[in-house]
Amino acid sequence: MGSSAGKRVAFALAAVVVVAGVSGCEDGDGGTKPAGASAGPATQSREEAVKAVRAAYTKTAEAKSAKVEMRVVVSGDQGGSSTFTGVQGWSPSVADLKVTDSTYLEGIPGAPVETRMLTAGGATYMDVGAEQAAQTGGKRWMKVEAEGAAGGDELLTQLTAGLSSVNQDPAQELGLLAGSSTVKHLGPAKGGDVTGQRYEGALSGGKHVEVWIGTDGYPVRMIVETTAGGSSTKLTTNYRDYGAKAAVQAPPADETFGFMELLKKIGQGLGQG
């Protein structure tokens, strides 16, 4: 594989895994925008906003899982976007997601148009499809472990940038938002078929969180924007059916191959050109 082709495939593979298991669903394809974003007579005080977000945190933490519809948009040198639908759980972190409309999959020669992502046991797995599996001894599931991606290797750090910067636990994000000195209520919002009261605040580490809380007190949409190292990631999640079954199992070990090992091999090729 040539240097440029290897680099393109490596970035595509890495970026797909980076956004696996995280939430997001953008404000639409040039469609609806949040309503009631400006402060007005109906805007809650900071104390009321904190109380509402804390209540949502409690309900979300107790639910432990939900069905999700996500859209992830990454800007920068390895920019792109993907859509995810399925079920996500937290405490522990698990996910079973269908990946569609992915610019990253489009960048991998022979990759399927849509695929499946699993998160279980501290690792994320991507089904690379039959054609790619022919290059990996018939193994279809590419594995990446979050702690391994942050292990310090310069190439791996570049290719997996953002994997550890986005928290996959919406309850924890709500807890941090409730404790932020910048949390505030922006009023009612509507986007597509999602409506709720809109809150936002800045967190440490270049992160901004926005949450829409429905009439039942559960978050119906959460948008997390993170900026780091010259790139930014926007993750927006629509939630429904809290408490949905999220019993996810990792693929058998003999059907998986190591993501880090694959990247190191590609990295050797990149160093030649």
Side-chain angles (χ1 to χ4, degrees):
M1 179 182 295
S3 174
S4 61
K7 188 172 185 179
R8 183 172 61 252
V9 173
F11 283 154
L13 289 172
V16 169
V17 175
V18 165
V19 297
V22 295
S23 358
C25 185
E26 251 190 326
D27 289 338
D29 299 326
T32 56
K33 294 292 183 180
S38 302
T43 301
Q44 300 170 2
S45 67
R46 183 179 182 279
E47 290 73 18
E48 292 171 322
V50 169
K51 183 178 179 180
V53 174
R54 282 180 176 166
Y57 155 77
T58 299
K59 294 177 76 74
T60 304
E62 292 175 348
K64 297 184 182 299
S65 64
K67 291 183 180 179
V68 295
E69 177 188 3
M70 311 190 274
R71 182 70 177 170
V72 180
V73 180
V74 181
S75 67
D77 292 340
Q78 288 79 56
S81 58
S82 295
T83 296
F84 301 80
T85 54
V87 64
Q88 180 185 27
W90 43 95
S91 300
S93 177
V94 295
D96 187 345
L97 304 168
K98 181 172 71 172
V99 188
T100 59
D101 190 24
S102 173
T103 58
Y104 298 117
L105 289 177
E106 293 173 359
I108 305 174
V113 175
E114 60 181 53
T115 190
R116 186 182 179 197
M117 291 276 193
L118 300 175
T119 298
T124 294
Y125 304 83
M126 181 183 79
D127 184 352
V128 298
E131 185 171 339
Q132 288 291 312
Q135 308 299 319
T136 56
K139 299 179 179 181
R140 292 184 62 130
W141 292 96
M142 181 176 66
K143 176 182 179 180
V144 59
E145 299 182 61
E147 59 270 23
D153 182 279
E154 183 177 353
L155 175 65
L156 296 179
T157 300
Q158 179 185 19
L159 296 183
T160 59
L163 180 61
S164 60
S165 67
V166 179
N167 198 315
Q168 299 181 26
D169 184 339
Q172 186 171 2
E173 295 287 10
L174 288 167
L176 294 172
L177 179 60
S180 171
S181 61
T182 63
V183 65
K184 61 182 177 181
H185 176 234
L186 298 176
K190 179 176 176 58
D193 59 354
V194 179
T195 60
Q197 293 295 323
R198 186 171 171 237
Y199 303 83
E200 69 171 4
L203 306 182
S204 60
K207 182 182 290 187
H208 178 273
V209 176
E210 177 183 318
V211 61
W212 297 15
I213 300 177
T215 55
D216 59 1
Y218 284 102
V220 292
R221 174 172 291 179
M222 184 179 293
I223 303 170
V224 180
E225 296 186 66
T226 305
T227 302
S231 65
S232 64
T233 303
K234 182 177 181 179
L235 315 155
T236 312
T237 309
N238 287 345
Y239 294 96
R240 63 183 177 87
D241 296 345
Y242 277 89
K245 186 177 180 180
V248 183
Q249 294 185 337
D254 61 359
E255 296 180 12
T256 69
F257 62 93
F259 177 59
M260 294 177 65
E261 179 181 355
L262 176 64
L263 287 185
K264 285 179 179 178
K265 289 181 181 179
I266 296 175
Q268 293 172 358
L270 296 183
Q272 298 174 0

